[in-house]
């Protein structure tokens, strides 16, 4: 082929290759041959290129020559600079040598100056040493010559000079000199001390003090000591010796009336060896003599500091030893103490005249005399209480209680149908009184006060609280029964007609004329016994009250004791407090101690109430109301304690009868006989003991309470007997009659001369024994025929004591067909493998059989070698009691044939495993061969027998676990396409697709691939679904229709498609709303592209957050939603409309459908589960309520093996397993009760207390895996049990 490339082009390409290394781009040039004709052109081009190179190379040559010339000049300059530098360095070295010489000379000069200064200091120090040594010698000479003052003055100067010199020089010589000085000081001090003791002689054994005749020597020694600083030490020692030798022996009494006196003989002060009569005046004279002796015989240099030390000691000893103990506790003696106060004032003036301190301390003590007297009075009163309690009960005394009332014939006192609890509410005692005396005798105020023994006089035996005690005196109490009409000590004092006498109770004393027509004044009297203790306490309080009155009297006006009145008023309270604190131990030594204590407290409280009322008109500081209330309560507590003890004994004795079961069969019959006989004997013995203590009415009230305890126990035991044979009925009747025989203890008291009335007396048992008529009726029923019982019911008043159910139960127990009634039951089951043959399915069984016995019967009929537990249903309800209970509850006869269905009992779920997370777990789902996601999938998508658990967590991640508690895959984080916040709900759509929703307001679809041999499991984001404006808390999936429902806190429900192609685009407003939420999260890593889609429709009708949504189990075009607005809505999804609303009473938090029963279960915030019938034809909204949780129910799941089964998760920290056929009856009617409770294993299971529990957020029940729950403890927990009644699920 002919080439179109010219020779010039070929030569140019060769030249470019040589010059620039360029390779020709044209394929024609590369493949063209190089003809010989082109050589000349090529040579020409090379010559031209060479010439150009030569021209270009000449220009740099000229520049290089200039550079060389400049470099030479620079080198010369550098050499010149180096030469100059060498000269400079040489000169600098010379300067350094000169500077070194100068430094050496300067150092030598400083050394010489320091040596000179040292020499001068040394000379000065030697001079000082010589001078100080001379002073030391001079001081020693003066001391040896006896010139103490001059020696000490020189020594003081020596110390002043030695101190700075020692500090300045710090040499050994000065230290030695200091030691010598200290020794010299010690010698001088010892010499002065010897002189001091030679001049001042104190003999403690003879109690004498001798001072020198010449004060000059003592003054000299004192002045010397003052210069040395040891005077105060010697004065303190002198004061202590005076205190031991003179003051203490003088202040102390040899006995109660004698003391030793002081005497002065010139310069000697002596304490007499013999004792004289004690007198405060004499004591003050002696103290004056003592101070004057010291002032006259001691120089002022000693007396002035001595007075400051000795005066406080003297006054303190005077007050503590003599004055404080001299204060009397008796008010009369306190008047005589006024002279002592005058003597103290005289003593104050004396020490002032001598110039001694202490007047303020004495005046303060005089002002505190009222307080000291009150303290002394208080101490003596409390000592008297202790002595009184130590002596014990003392003489037992009978006291009387009196009350007066004006009554009329219309008051209904004498008719049983008009008695009220407040018949004495208007009583008053204005006509009864005691004339006041100068010192009231508090023991005689019994008739002046209204009795407040509200416990023993007819009210509650136990101690009432303080508020009720305060009202006891003013509000009328139920004392009809307590007074005991017919007391033989009550008499009729006016002459009324015989007819009126017959109508008047024996307990009324008429002591006045008719005030109006049909009215009269009556007086009620009753006596009881008290010990001597309250009488003594009352006397002590009376003395205190009397002293208070006397202190306020004019005769005490000169004596300033008004301030003692408030303190004195507190002593009665202290007396009562001490009595209450110690009384229990004192009274416990007697068997009737508590009853005596009860009587004593209430009698004392009554008397004190009279004191308070008598002084109410006066301006009194006495405040005893609270103490009276406390005293009454204390007495009542003692009474209640005794009664409770007796009741416990009676109950324990009756427990020996073992409920009277088998009371006709040995050895049980002997136990019953002993129990009843012991009870009767116990009641009689107690009556005998208390008869000498309590009033008659209180005695009957107390014994009546014990009898009531016994008969109540007998009645309960008899009513609990489900079958009473005729022999048992006869034996029980005999027991009742033995107890009824104690009514002779309740006969009213009659006068001894009225034999006929005594024989006709009617026991007051029914008045004092609650339930007595009921017990008598029981005795009659046990011994009566049906006709007799009917008569008792219709005409005998039985209906007043028993209701219909109680009588029916007794009749059923008494009139059974045989000893143990029989009932025909027909057993059947719908479960395979446990069907009974038709020939043995109908049986005659005992009516007292329960589930356990029936289960054993069925196992025996089936011939099971291994016992299988069964549950039993009658009319669709679990049997939870006995067959007899069921018959009674449903009013069925024993002739009825019951159809009983038996099923395998549910096994309690046991804990299998727990999967730990990093944060709270909000939701779980399961992929198993029987799960909806597996059933909906195609065969090639199904897992080959490997279960998976899907969990959603508050950390924003999804995890898929295998059954070995291993995480097979975790969802991507927020920066890689995952959720931006906590995940709230999660579901398997299919084995390869997962749906989730969360607080980031999105629903997300994930593609899931199981691990294979060469690759791990993977979860990748597939679609983001945007529309909600708040947290998405619940989702429901339906894979066959490719639909998802979501419930959100924005009050809406959204319908989505799982297919990207079917889903619409996301509205721009929804994307902008989510952009701010994910702004920070997108910065974590590179963006991940995930398809974003919108919802198919938005269902709007709720007015509060929507908590849960589900598809209808039989129609995927229908949905149910539950909301905080209390509503359950039914939705038609094709039209996106609400077709029905069921309103409840509480916020709804969770939903699950129960297909077999056409019900929807809703968990509520009210802690229960509501079963709602959503069908339009339903006439009742709530079909049943399941109760048992103690907090909100937030998750529900149906039992896949039991059409009636249900599991629930609650914020109370538990999951509960329910069977809708397990019910009970409460105040709201028939309600469901849970079968089992599952606690969180992370905190120890269901046995933990509520405060230790953690919330459960989600629960799911799978037939293969079990009950899977998630919660606040960061765990997924698996429990497995077996349902009771499998029913095929559609």
């Amino acid at each position: 082929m002919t080439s179109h490339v010219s020779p010039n082009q070929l030569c140019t390409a060769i030249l470019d290759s040589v010059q620039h290394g360029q390779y020709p781009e044209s394929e024609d040039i590369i493949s063209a041959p190089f003809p010989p004709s082109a050589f000349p052109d090529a040579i020409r081009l090379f010559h031209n290129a060479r010439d150009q190179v030569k021209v270009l190379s000449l220009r740099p040559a000229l520049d290089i020559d200039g550079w060389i010339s400049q470099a030479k000049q620079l080198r010369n300059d550098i050499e010149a600079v180096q030469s100059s530098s060498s000269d400079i360095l040489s000169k600098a070295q010379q300067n350094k040598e000169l500077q070194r010489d100068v430094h050496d000379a300067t150092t030598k000069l400083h050394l010489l100056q320091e040596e000179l200064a040292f020499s001068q200091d040394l000379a000065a120090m030697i001079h000082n040493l010589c001078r100080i040594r001379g002073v030391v010698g001079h001081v020693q000479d003066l001391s040896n010559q006896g010139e103490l003052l001059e020696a000490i003055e020189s020594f003081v100067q020596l110390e002043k000079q030695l101190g700075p010199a020692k500090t300045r020089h710090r040499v050994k010589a000065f230290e030695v000199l200091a030691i010598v000085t200290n020794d010299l000081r010690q010698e001088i001090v010892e010499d002065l001390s010897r002189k001091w003791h030679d001049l001042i002689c104190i003999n403690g054994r003879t109690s004498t003090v001798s001072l020198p005749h010449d004060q000059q020597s003592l003054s000299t020694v004192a002045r010397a000591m003052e210069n040395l600083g040891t005077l105060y030490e010697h004065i303190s020692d002198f004061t202590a010796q005076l205190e031991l030798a003179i003051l203490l022996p003088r202040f102390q009494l040899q006995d109660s009336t004698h003391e030793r006196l002081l005497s002065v003989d010139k310069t000697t002060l002596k304490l007499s060896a013999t004792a004289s009569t004690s007198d405060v005046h004499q004591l003050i004279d002696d103290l004056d003599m003592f101070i004057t002796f010291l002032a006259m015989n001691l120089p002022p240099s000693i007396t002035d500091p001595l007075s400051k030390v000795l005066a406080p000691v003297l006054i303190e000893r005077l007050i503590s030893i003599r004055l404080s103990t001299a204060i009397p506790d008796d008010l009369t003696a306190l008047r005589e103490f006024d002279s002592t106060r005058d003597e103290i004032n005289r003593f104050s003036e004396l020490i002032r005249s001598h110039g001694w301190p202490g007047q303020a301390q004495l005046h303060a003590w005089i002002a505190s005399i009222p307080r000291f007297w009150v303290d002394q009075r208080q101490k003596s009163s409390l000592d008297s209480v202790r002595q009184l309690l130590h002596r014990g009960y003392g003489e037992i005394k009978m006291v009387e209680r009196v009350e007066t009332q004006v009554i009329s014939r219309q008051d209904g006192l004498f008719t049983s149908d008009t008695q009220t609890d407040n018949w004495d509410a208007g009583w008053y005692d204005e006509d009864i009184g005691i004339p006041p005396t100068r010192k009231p005798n508090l023991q005689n105020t019994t008739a002046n006060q209204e009795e407040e023994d509200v416990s023993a006089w007819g009210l509650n035996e136990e101690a009432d609280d303080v508020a009720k005690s305060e009202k006891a005196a003013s509000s009328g109490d139920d004392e009809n029964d307590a007074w005991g009409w017919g007391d033989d000590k009550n008499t009729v004092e006016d002459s009324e007609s015989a007819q009126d006498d017959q109508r008047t109770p024996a307990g009324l004393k008429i002591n006045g004329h008719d005030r109006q027509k049909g009215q009269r004044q009556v007086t009620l009297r009753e006596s009881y016994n008290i010990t001597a203790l309250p009488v003594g306490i009352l006397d002590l309080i009376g003395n205190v009250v009397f002293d208070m009155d006397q202190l306020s009297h004019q005769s005490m006006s000169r004596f300033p004791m008004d301030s003692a009145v408030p303190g004195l008023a507190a002593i009665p309270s202290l007396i009562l407090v001490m009595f209450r604190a110690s009384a229990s131990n004192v009274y416990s030594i007697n068997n009737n101690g508590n009853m005596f204590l009860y009587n004593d407290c209430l009698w004392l409280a009554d008397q004190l109430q009279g004191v308070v009322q008598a002084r109410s008109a006066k301006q009194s500081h006495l405040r005893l109301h609270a103490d009276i209330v406390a005293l009454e309560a204390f007495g009542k507590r003692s009474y209640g304690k005794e009664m409770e003890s007796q009741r416990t004994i009676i109950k324990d004795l009756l427990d020996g009868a073992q409920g009277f079961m088998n009371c006709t069969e040995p050895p049980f019959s002997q136990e019953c006989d002993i129990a009843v006989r012991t009870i009767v004997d116990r009641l009689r013995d107690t009556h005998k003991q208390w008869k000498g203590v309590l009033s008659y009415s209180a005695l009957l009230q107390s014994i009546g309470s014990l009898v009531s305890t016994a008969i109540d126990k007998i009645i309960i035991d008899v009513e609990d007997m489900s079958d009473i044979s005729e022999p048992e009925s006869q034996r029980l009747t005999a027991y009742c009659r033995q107890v009824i025989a104690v009514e002779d203890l309740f006969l009213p008291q009659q006068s001894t001369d009225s034999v006929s009335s005594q024989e006709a007396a009617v026991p007051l048992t029914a008045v004092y024994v609650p339930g007595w008529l009921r017990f008598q009726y029981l005795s009659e029923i046990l011994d009566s025929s049906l006709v007799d019982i009917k008569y008792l019911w219709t005409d005998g008043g039985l209906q007043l004591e028993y209701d219909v159910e109680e009588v029916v139960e007794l009749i059923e127990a008494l009139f059974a067909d045989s000893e143990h009634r029989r009932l025909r039951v027909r057993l059947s089951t719908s479960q395979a493998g446990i069907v009974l043959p038709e020939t043995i399915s109908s049986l005659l069984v005992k009516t007292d059989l329960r589930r356990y016995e029936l289960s054993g019967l069925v196992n025996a009929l089936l011939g099971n070698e291994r016992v299988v537990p069964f549950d039993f249903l009658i009319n669709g309800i679990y049997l939870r009691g006995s067959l007899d209970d069921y018959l009674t509850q449903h009013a069925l006869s024993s002739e009825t044939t019951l159809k009983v269905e038996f099923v395998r009992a549910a096994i309690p779920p046991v804990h299998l495993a727990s999967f730990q997370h990093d944060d709270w777990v909000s939701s779980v789902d399961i992929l198993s061969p029987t799960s909806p996601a597996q059933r909906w999938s195609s065969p090639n998508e199904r897992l080959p027998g490997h279960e998976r658990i899907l969990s959603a967590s508050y950390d924003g991640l999804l995890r898929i676990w295998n059954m070995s508690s291993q995480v097979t895959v975790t969802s991507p984080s927020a920066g890689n396409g995952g959720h931006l916040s906590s995940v709230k709900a999660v579901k398997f759509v299919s084995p390869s697709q997962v749906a989730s929703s969360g607080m980031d307001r999105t629903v997300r679809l994930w593609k899931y691939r199981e691990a294979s041999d060469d690759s791990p499991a993977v979860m990748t984001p597939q679609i983001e679904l945007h529309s909600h404006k708040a947290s998405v808390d619940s989702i429901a999936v339906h894979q066959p229709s490719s639909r998802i429902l979501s419930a959100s806190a924005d009050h809406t429900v959204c319908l989505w498609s799982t297919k990207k192609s079917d889903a619409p685009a996301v509205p721009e407003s929804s994307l902008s709303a989510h952009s701010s939420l994910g702004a920070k999260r997108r910065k974590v890593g590179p963006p991940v592209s995930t398809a974003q889609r919108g919802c198919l429709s938005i269902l709007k009708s709720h007015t509060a957050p929507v908590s849960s949504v589900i598809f209808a189990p039989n129609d995927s075009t229908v949905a149910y939603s539950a909301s905080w607005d209390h509503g359950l809505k039914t939705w038609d999804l094709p039209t996106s409309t609400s077709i029905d609303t069921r309103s409840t009473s509480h916020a709804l938090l969770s939903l699950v459908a129960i297909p077999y029963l056409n019900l929807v279960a809703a968990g509520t915030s009210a802690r229960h589960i509501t079963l709602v019938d959503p069908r339009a034809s339903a006439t009742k909204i709530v079909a049943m309520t399941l109760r048992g949780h103690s907090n909100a129910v937030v998750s529900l799941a149906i039992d896949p093996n039991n059409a009636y089964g249900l599991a629930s998760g609650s914020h109370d920290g538990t999951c509960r397993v329910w069977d809708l056929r397990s019910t009970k009856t409460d105040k709201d009617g028939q309600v469901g009760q849970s079968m089992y409770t599952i606690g969180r294993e992370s905190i120890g299971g269901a046995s933990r207390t509520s405060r230790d529990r953690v919330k459960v957020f989600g629960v799911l029940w799978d037939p293969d895996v079990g009950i899977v729950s998630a919660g606040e403890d960061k765990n997924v927990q698996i429990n497995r049990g077996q349902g009771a009644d499998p029913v095929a699920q559609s």
Side-chain angles (χ1 to χ4, degrees), residues 1110-1231:
I1110 58 173
F1111 285 98
N1114 299 321
D1115 187 355
S1116 61
T1117 63
V1118 177
Y1120 303 114
S1121 63
S1123 169
W1124 286 80
D1125 61 9
H1126 302 188
L1128 172 66
K1129 291 186 178 293
T1130 304
W1131 301 90
D1132 180 60
L1133 298 180
T1135 61
S1136 301
T1137 58
S1138 173
I1139 59 177
D1140 185 69
T1141 300
R1142 299 298 170 104
S1143 297
T1144 65
S1145 302
H1146 307 283
L1148 305 181
L1149 307 179
S1150 53
L1151 275 182
V1152 71
I1154 307 176
Y1156 185 76
L1157 302 176
N1158 295 319
L1159 297 176
V1160 174
T1164 71
S1165 61
R1167 309 183 299 276
H1168 60 256
I1169 303 168
T1170 301
L1171 301 184
V1172 180
D1173 190 343
R1175 294 175 295 180
S1177 59
T1179 59
K1180 190 176 181 181
I1181 296 178
V1182 178
M1184 183 186 289
T1185 301
L1186 310 181
R1187 298 185 184 275
H1189 282 293
S1190 58
N1191 208 330
V1193 183
V1194 296
S1195 183
L1196 296 169
I1198 60 171
D1199 184 349
N1201 295 321
N1202 182 2
Y1204 299 92
L1206 190 68
S1208 61
S1210 168
H1211 281 178
D1212 64 6
T1214 65
C1215 295
R1216 288 182 180 263
V1217 179
W1218 311 80
D1219 191 301
L1220 303 186
R1221 297 166 296 182
S1222 176
T1223 62
K1224 65 178 180 180
T1225 302
D1226 65 1
K1227 59 183 179 63
D1228 297 326
Q1230 202 82 0
V1231 298

Side-chain angles (χ1 to χ4, degrees), residues 454-765:
V454 295
S455 183
W457 298 96
L459 288 181
N460 184 13
E461 297 96 86
E462 285 77 6
D464 299 327
D465 55 19
V466 173
K468 292 182 179 179
S469 299
E470 291 176 351
K471 298 179 180 178
S474 58
S475 63
D477 298 320
D478 183 11
E479 300 186 352
N480 302 5
D481 300 341
W483 277 105
W485 299 106
D487 190 344
D488 60 351
K489 296 187 179 181
N490 300 329
T491 59
V492 179
E493 294 185 352
D494 64 339
S495 55
E496 295 289 340
S497 64
Q499 183 179 359
D500 290 337
D501 291 341
Q502 293 174 358
R503 294 181 181 179
T504 304
L508 297 180
K509 179 179 180 180
I510 303 173
N511 53 8
H513 298 288
D514 291 346
R515 300 194 175 188
Q516 294 180 5
K517 185 178 181 180
Q519 291 184 345
R520 66 180 61 180
Q521 177 177 294
V522 296
T523 300
L524 304 181
R525 300 178 182 273
E526 197 166 36
S527 60
Y528 56 97
N529 292 330
I530 62 172
T531 67
L533 293 177
V535 178
I537 296 294
L538 191 63
D539 287 340
L540 292 175
I541 295 176
N543 292 333
V544 174
V545 173
F546 177 73
D547 288 348
M548 291 175 59
D549 293 338
Q550 292 301 308
L551 288 178
S552 303
H553 199 267
Q554 293 183 356
S555 62
M556 299 295 294
S557 60
R558 197 179 72 85
F559 196 70
M561 293 295 292
D562 293 343
S563 60
V565 174
L568 197 63
I571 294 179
S573 298
L574 295 176
I575 291 174
L576 294 176
V577 167
M578 188 169 184
F579 173 73
R580 296 199 304 270
S582 306
S584 297
N585 294 330
V586 174
Y587 284 83
S588 62
I589 61 176
N590 190 289
N591 291 335
N592 298 325
N594 283 326
M595 291 306 182
F596 271 122
L597 180 56
Y598 168 73
N599 283 348
D600 290 353
C601 288
L602 296 189
W603 179 84
L604 181 57
D606 184 61
Q607 305 306 309
L608 293 175
Q609 187 67 33
V611 175
V612 173
Q613 291 180 0
R615 299 175 59 85
S616 59
K618 303 179 182 180
Q619 294 295 329
S620 175
H621 292 274
L622 190 63
R623 300 290 185 267
L624 287 179
H625 182 70
D627 297 288
I628 293 173
V629 172
L631 186 63
E632 290 176 340
F634 178 68
K636 292 173 185 176
R637 281 196 298 271
S638 300
Y639 178 86
K641 180 180 178 181
E642 179 67 22
M643 292 300 297
E644 186 61 29
S645 175
Q646 296 296 333
R647 291 192 194 100
T648 302
I649 294 173
I650 289 175
K651 291 177 182 178
D652 291 343
L653 291 174
L654 280 176
D655 285 340
Q658 301 181 19
F660 297 102
M661 299 298 294
N662 303 316
C663 63
T664 59
E665 300 178 4
F668 303 105
S669 59
Q670 289 85 351
E671 295 294 335
C672 295
D673 292 343
I674 294 172
V676 175
R677 185 170 59 252
T678 306
I679 287 298
V680 173
D681 294 342
R682 179 77 186 181
L683 292 172
R684 294 187 179 277
D685 292 341
T686 305
H687 179 275
K688 184 177 180 180
Q689 289 180 8
W690 291 354
K691 188 175 181 180
V693 180
L694 299 174
S695 64
Y696 183 71
S697 58
L699 173 65
L700 298 188
Q701 180 75 19
S702 304
I703 298 299
S705 177
L706 300 183
V707 174
S708 177
T709 301
I711 64 175
D712 286 346
K713 181 72 168 61
I714 295 174
I715 291 173
I716 292 173
D717 290 343
V718 173
E719 288 181 343
D720 287 344
M721 298 175 68
S722 59
D723 192 0
I724 303 175
S725 63
E726 184 175 356
E728 289 177 336
S729 175
Q730 294 173 356
R731 181 61 66 90
L732 292 174
T733 302
Y735 292 153
C736 291
R737 289 174 179 171
Q738 288 184 48
V739 177
I740 291 173
V742 302
E743 67 178 354
D744 60 349
L745 302 177
F746 296 89
L747 290 173
Q749 287 182 323
Q750 302 290 339
S751 58
T752 56
D753 55 351
S754 179
V755 179
S756 59
S757 61
Q758 193 171 11
E759 294 176 353
V762 177
L764 301 175
T765 317

Side-chain angles (χ1 to χ4, degrees), residues 1246-1274:
S1247 62
R1248 306 290 288 183
T1249 60
S1250 59
R1251 66 175 179 271
D1252 298 326
R1253 294 175 181 165
V1254 293
K1255 297 176 182 177
V1256 174
F1257 294 138
V1259 64
L1260 193 68
W1261 200 335
D1262 184 82
D1264 298 316
V1265 178
I1267 299 174
V1268 182
S1269 57
E1272 196 178 28
D1273 59 354
K1274 306 179 185 179

Side-chain angles (χ1 to χ4, degrees), residues 826-827 835-842:
R826 185 175 298 277
L827 299 172
V835 178
L836 289 172
E838 184 66 25
T839 56
I840 60 173
S841 61
S842 179

